[in-house]
Amino acid sequence: MIAQGGPGLPASTEPAASPATRVGRLPRSFWGWARTLAGVAVLAALLWRLGSGPFVAGLRLIDGAAVGAALGIGGVTTVCAAWRWSLVAAGLGVRLPLREAVAHCYRAVFLNSTLPGGVLGDVDRAVRHGRDCGDVGRGVRAVVWERTAGQAVTVVLAVGVLAAFPSPVRQHLPAAAGLIVAAGLGAVLLGRVAPRSGASRWARALRTAVADVRSGVLGRRTWAGVLVASAVVLAGHLATFVVAARTAGVDAPLSRLLPLTLLALLAMILPLNVGGFGPREGVAAWAFAAAGLTAAQGVAAATVYGALALVASLPGGVVLLARRLPSPAATGVVSPAPVATARAARWVSRPARTGVHG
């Protein structure tokens, strides 16, 4: 749910790499497999250490109330994420109606939850929207900056929550806050010294990035909505994790449980997962054990959260299926959406530039 990323320009726009560059650069497919294997390694370590009991026990306790809560909360967070995307896209001069954004976001959440890496859904919506509006580059940048802004707000709010409640990382928060402030000041300084002219690739990319942030994220009609939407999305994820923990039988007080679930959610920023599973369960096991609970409780809660997140994404499967079916107005003509999705997936694995994970 906290999800990630978007691509850069297609491979056909890249200048041909020299033989030396080809020798020293590993293919993107290698890193994609490496990230997936890293997630598998985390799950394998947990299975070796704790067995399959925590994974299975939590899933057996899922009931109708938990499923209903996940669907309801997921609807709110998806609409807020779509609203944030629509605001950023409008700031970049790209029209994106909220209804269309919601459908794209539901489909992206479903693909992120069911495909390795957790980013292919965002790649799909970035490329699809770029093609729909006739400007793939700007459509991709809208997703990149929307995701980046959302994760930046999430990290800042997370530090505040972890400082307000007891947590295993509380002693490290001053250093984390210092890094956040330094990163913010560095970004401001970089924007100030960005060259106003120059034809180099770096200069053009930096000017574009600065303009995008100023108009798409920090614009007068954008920044407040981005902040509110991101806060609601984070609150929704936390609420879903609390529901998952209660479903798994964790009865710790909310003041003790909240920072632990937040740490597990922050681990999902790492693109090292298999359908969302991997670092989340590992961090949950560590955090719960460090807080005086048990690692098994952390794994059970994280596993239930993953299952509820998948349930909440199922409307995206319906959207995806609806795009594959022939429309009543053109019986026998299949929508090209599956082709776009397949091309987007291949695009990520090609040796092209990729954007920041957002």
Side-chain angles (χ1 to χ4, degrees):
M1 295 191 132
I2 295 180
Q4 305 134 58
L9 297 177
S12 59
T13 64
E14 291 278 353
S18 65
T21 302
R22 292 194 192 101
V23 171
R25 185 172 62 187
L26 291 171
R28 298 270 179 197
S29 58
F30 169 82
W31 295 115
W33 279 108
R35 290 194 298 266
T36 301
L37 290 176
V40 172
V42 172
L43 293 175
L46 291 173
L47 285 170
W48 174 74
R49 189 65 182 266
L50 302 174
S52 61
F55 293 92
V56 177
L59 295 177
R60 288 176 176 172
L61 295 173
I62 296 178
D63 55 15
V67 169
L71 286 170
I73 296 171
V76 174
T77 57
T78 302
V79 170
C80 286
W83 177 43
R84 180 178 63 198
W85 181 26
S86 181
L87 289 174
V88 173
L92 297 184
V94 182
R95 182 177 179 273
L96 179 61
L98 181 59
R99 182 177 179 179
E100 179 182 340
V102 170
H104 279 299
C105 282
Y106 257 124
R107 182 173 53 243
V109 170
F110 178 75
L111 293 175
N112 285 345
S113 300
T114 54
L115 297 176
V119 300
L120 295 184
D122 290 316
V123 173
D124 173 61
R125 69 181 171 104
V127 176
R128 187 185 297 268
H129 176 234
R131 288 173 175 169
D132 290 344
C133 69
D135 191 337
V136 174
R138 191 168 297 186
V140 168
R141 298 203 314 270
V143 171
V144 170
W145 291 119
E146 176 260 325
R147 299 303 297 162
T148 302
Q151 290 194 356
V153 173
T154 295
V155 170
V156 172
L157 293 179
V159 171
V161 172
L162 293 173
F165 297 97
S167 73
V169 298
R170 198 168 193 176
Q171 66 272 24
H172 303 296
L173 291 181
L179 289 175
I180 292 174
V181 172
L185 292 176
V188 172
L189 180 61
L190 189 62
R192 293 287 186 182
V193 301
R196 299 182 182 275
S197 61
S200 70
R201 188 176 184 181
W202 181 87
R204 287 186 282 109
L206 186 57
R207 285 199 301 271
T208 300
V210 171
D212 285 350
V213 171
R214 286 176 176 171
S215 60
V217 178
L218 301 178
R220 184 179 60 182
R221 299 181 179 180
T222 305
W223 71 267
V226 169
L227 181 61
V228 171
S230 300
V232 174
V233 169
L234 176 60
H237 293 323
L238 286 173
T240 304
F241 215 125
V242 170
V243 170
R246 296 297 190 222
T247 302
V250 181
D251 57 358
L254 188 61
S255 60
R256 188 180 180 188
L257 185 61
L258 196 62
L260 306 182
T261 60
L262 184 55
L263 289 172
L265 286 174
L266 289 175
M268 294 177 63
I269 294 177
L270 299 173
L272 310 174
N273 61 77
V274 182
F277 292 87
R280 178 183 62 215
E281 285 67 30
V283 171
W286 166 80
F288 275 61
L293 301 174
T294 67
Q297 286 178 310
V299 171
T303 303
V304 174
Y305 174 85
L308 294 181
L310 178 60
V311 169
S313 73
L314 290 180
V318 176
V319 174
L320 189 63
L321 180 62
R323 291 296 183 99
R324 296 178 65 96
L325 296 176
S327 64
T331 304
V333 178
V334 180
S335 168
V339 177
T341 303
R343 288 176 178 171
R346 290 197 300 269
W347 195 354
V348 168
S349 63
R350 293 172 67 183
R353 289 197 308 269
T354 53
V356 181
H357 285 187

